[in-house]
Amino acid sequence: MKKILLFLIFMLPQCFTAQNNLGKSITAICGNGIVEEGEECDGTPGCTSSCTLIPAGTFFVEPQYGVRYVVPPVSTLKVFNRSIKFNPDTNEFWMASNYSPQAGLSSYGGSSFVDANGVNSNQSYVDYPPNTPLETDFPLPIVGDYFIGNLKGGGLINGATGVAIRNLNNPAASVRRIESADVGENDLKIFAAAMQTDGKILLAGRCLFSQGRIIVIRLNQDLSFDTSFFTVGYRKFSFGTDCQARAIGLQSDGKIVVSGHRVAPGSIGIILRLNTDGTLDTTFGGGGTKTFNYQVETQNNSFLLTDITEVYSMYIDMFDHIYLCGRGSAQNLWAGKYIPAMCAMLPNGADWLAMRDLDHTTENSILNVSGVAYKISFSETTGMIYLAGHSSNGIADIGLYLQRFDSVAVVDSSFSFQSESQVSYYNLSSSSDVIHDMAIQNDGKIVLVGTSNGNGFYTRIMDTSLSAPSFETKNENIVLSPNPVSNSLNLQFENNLNQELKILIIDVLGKEVYSNSNPDFNAQNSITINNLDVLSNGIFFIKIISNTNTQTIKFIKR
């Protein structure tokens, strides 16, 4: 029997009166909302149905939010929630979805708006004319107020391939259509999009004439081709006979980072950086481009994933570090299974972080998960890296995949989502469950969207620390000053410190350069660290570690 995801439900406190005139003890009742003898909790967030505390680091579905679904207007449609546009100030988001008939040969694009409490409104989709349906199993990237759908095309529906750009708040309004012939190709697919500070839109994907190539397109605000970008508004790149771009983003200086992978001959990761005019930035990688393989490190081994390295998502942090994820495999690692994989690079494309499991040997590593990571997210507050996608329980059932790594890409052994016998595998249904996108709120809660057995779901998860009355709550305000740092820094905590702390400083290569297990408190809520002039200039991470949680803040040493 497969385990089905169990949701922790708040139990309403029950009023009761008990008298014990005979001096007999009263048996604790789990579920009455009162913590009694022998109970660790009762009905509070992070409490199990047996009134014991869930271990620290365990995430669970927020009880009031639950798991919610986009209900199609026609019962014969399946829904695939593909992407979200998240507002971190309000915790509201727009969501783009594919609505597919049961046969699944094509789909219709649609959108909906979800408020901070999870209420879905403004839901609509486009029942396209016969020549404009979309590919079912392709992303719907969101950029600005638009979402991008990939046209099905082909003889079946007598239509051209290419992309349809539509409004999030009114999908029925046709905005822009780019066909393959517009870029001189027989086929065009767009997998990722980004917006420049000037409002111009970047698209990245795959084009096909005689071979598959990476294509990058830039559109003006009116969605016309921007001819200041490589003179025609788009540029193509070949890496072998078939390749594709799956992610695109901007660094702080406006330079454009594009990543994807080669399909043939031989799978390998690809990343390149463009100047704002579309030319290659030769200071990045080797002449503006770079190929790479994911790497896995355990306590006793290191492996390059040379058989498969595929990229599906990218995140660029405030310091322009580049985080990538997808899937990888190597014949000499876990019988060549496909595993969710990630890596990180320095702003100039130099190798930086490889995924690591320092608590286990290769034989029992928790990185041994069959699946793929479709989304990578990074918490600028804690430094934690999150991967999401799908995984398998080994019995051909596809479940949700969710895993967390620390700021130097060491997998977090304490992290779990609900309780399953297999790490990183979580079931919503007896059929396929997939996370396609996620967003991290400022308070540490995580919004997940995807598909469960053909039903488009969205949910919000939280952990027990979010209700703790100390600095460990993830929305706690810890101020590091000054930044940049010269000789000393100060950590100012919002609340008084009431437990032992350990302070670490780590450089960008993951090396520990400072450690203090018993820092002196200037006051009840302040710590100063001196003599930092011995550090070289550059980027560092300071970790504040308590018994139950870790918070990471980046700073610059000058």
Side-chain angles (χ1 to χ4, degrees), residues 473-515:
T473 55
K474 295 187 185 300
N475 60 342
E476 181 82 25
N477 185 23
I478 302 178
V479 178
L480 183 153
S481 62
N483 194 3
V485 171
S486 177
N487 181 53
S488 64
L489 64 81
N490 179 263
L491 296 173
Q492 189 76 29
F493 298 79
E494 185 176 354
N495 295 333
N496 290 341
L497 303 173
N498 53 16
Q499 57 182 294
E500 294 183 358
L501 301 178
K502 183 177 182 179
I503 306 293
L504 300 178
I505 295 179
I506 299 169
D507 65 18
V508 293
L509 299 178
K511 181 181 178 182
E512 185 180 300
V513 296
Y514 173 90
S515 176

Side-chain angles (χ1 to χ4, degrees), residues 60 67 78 152 169 199 242 253 343 359 439 498 501 530 554:
F60 54 91
V67 177
K78 294 183 177 181
K152 177 75 175 179
N169 60 359
D242 195 0
D253 58 2
C343 69
D359 295 329
N498 53 16
L501 301 178
N530 296 308
K554 295 181 182 179

Side-chain angles (χ1 to χ4, degrees), residues 17 25 32 208 226 235 446 480 508:
T17 303
S25 61
N32 61 8
L208 175 66
D226 176 14
R235 185 167 185 190
I446 304 173
L480 183 153
V508 293

Side-chain angles (χ1 to χ4, degrees), residues 8 30 38-42 44-55:
L8 298 175
C30 185
E39 296 178 344
E40 296 177 347
C41 55
D42 196 317
T44 55
C47 191
T48 70
S49 58
S50 301
C51 285
T52 59
L53 287 171
I54 294 176

Side-chain angles (χ1 to χ4, degrees), residues 433-490:
D433 307 319
V434 182
I435 300 170
H436 288 297
D437 205 351
M438 67 175 164
I440 303 172
Q441 295 186 174
N442 289 332
D443 60 5
K445 297 177 182 179
I446 304 173
V447 174
L448 307 174
V449 305
T451 302
S452 173
N453 193 23
N455 300 304
F457 81 89
Y458 60 98
T459 188
R460 188 164 66 196
I461 62 175
M462 60 184 291
D463 73 357
T464 53
S465 72
L466 297 180
S467 59
S470 71
F471 93 93
E472 294 169 4
T473 55
K474 295 187 185 300
N475 60 342
E476 181 82 25
N477 185 23
I478 302 178
V479 178
L480 183 153
S481 62
N483 194 3
V485 171
S486 177
N487 181 53
S488 64
L489 64 81
N490 179 263

Side-chain angles (χ1 to χ4, degrees), residues 281-525:
D281 176 11
T282 56
T283 66
F284 183 87
T289 69
K290 175 181 177 177
T291 58
F292 65 93
N293 292 107
Y294 294 119
Q295 184 174 353
V296 172
E297 296 180 9
T298 64
Q299 281 184 337
N300 58 335
N301 281 300
S302 178
F303 303 87
L304 276 177
L305 305 187
T306 53
D307 290 336
I308 295 289
T309 289
E310 295 178 349
V311 174
Y312 292 108
S313 178
M314 175 174 67
Y315 184 94
I316 300 176
D317 72 13
M318 67 174 70
F319 293 102
D320 290 334
H321 294 116
I322 304 163
Y323 301 81
L324 302 165
C325 80
R327 70 172 182 169
S329 74
Q331 284 299 317
N332 62 340
L333 177 63
W334 301 318
K337 78 164 56 170
Y338 295 145
I339 65 170
M342 63 82 59
C343 69
M345 299 178 186
L346 296 176
N348 64 357
D351 292 337
W352 180 31
L353 302 176
M355 55 193 292
R356 297 183 289 167
D357 182 356
L358 301 185
D359 295 329
H360 304 92
T361 62
T362 304
E363 291 70 25
N364 59 4
S365 172
I366 61 176
L367 296 177
N368 184 1
V369 176
S370 179
V372 57
Y374 287 125
K375 180 70 174 184
I376 187 166
S377 289
F378 177 82
S379 171
E380 299 282 0
T381 303
T382 66
M384 291 292 188
I385 305 163
Y386 294 83
L387 302 186
H390 72 71
S391 59
S392 172
N393 64 356
I395 319 175
D397 180 36
I398 302 299
L400 305 181
Y401 165 77
L402 189 63
Q403 204 157 39
R404 183 170 71 183
F405 298 77
D406 70 10
S407 58
V408 290
V410 176
V411 65
D412 185 354
S413 299
S414 69
F415 176 79
S416 63
F417 175 32
Q418 299 291 337
S419 57
E420 293 282 350
S421 58
Q422 181 177 340
V423 174
S424 304
Y425 170 80
Y426 312 103
N427 242 346
L428 277 180
S429 73
S430 59
S431 188
S432 294
D433 307 319
V434 182
I435 300 170
H436 288 297
D437 205 351
M438 67 175 164
I440 303 172
Q441 295 186 174
N442 289 332
D443 60 5
K445 297 177 182 179
I446 304 173
V447 174
L448 307 174
V449 305
T451 302
S452 173
N453 193 23
N455 300 304
F457 81 89
Y458 60 98
T459 188
R460 188 164 66 196
I461 62 175
M462 60 184 291
D463 73 357
T464 53
S465 72
L466 297 180
S467 59
S470 71
F471 93 93
E472 294 169 4
T473 55
K474 295 187 185 300
N475 60 342
E476 181 82 25
N477 185 23
I478 302 178
V479 178
L480 183 153
S481 62
N483 194 3
V485 171
S486 177
N487 181 53
S488 64
L489 64 81
N490 179 263
L491 296 173
Q492 189 76 29
F493 298 79
E494 185 176 354
N495 295 333
N496 290 341
L497 303 173
N498 53 16
Q499 57 182 294
E500 294 183 358
L501 301 178
K502 183 177 182 179
I503 306 293
L504 300 178
I505 295 179
I506 299 169
D507 65 18
V508 293
L509 299 178
K511 181 181 178 182
E512 185 180 300
V513 296
Y514 173 90
S515 176
N516 190 342
S517 298
N518 188 25
D520 293 329
F521 298 165
N522 299 333
Q524 286 297 103
N525 63 344

Side-chain angles (χ1 to χ4, degrees), residues 26-43:
I26 299 175
T27 303
I29 301 174
C30 185
N32 61 8
I34 300 173
V35 180
E36 300 161 306
E37 185 177 354
E39 296 178 344
E40 296 177 347
C41 55
D42 196 317

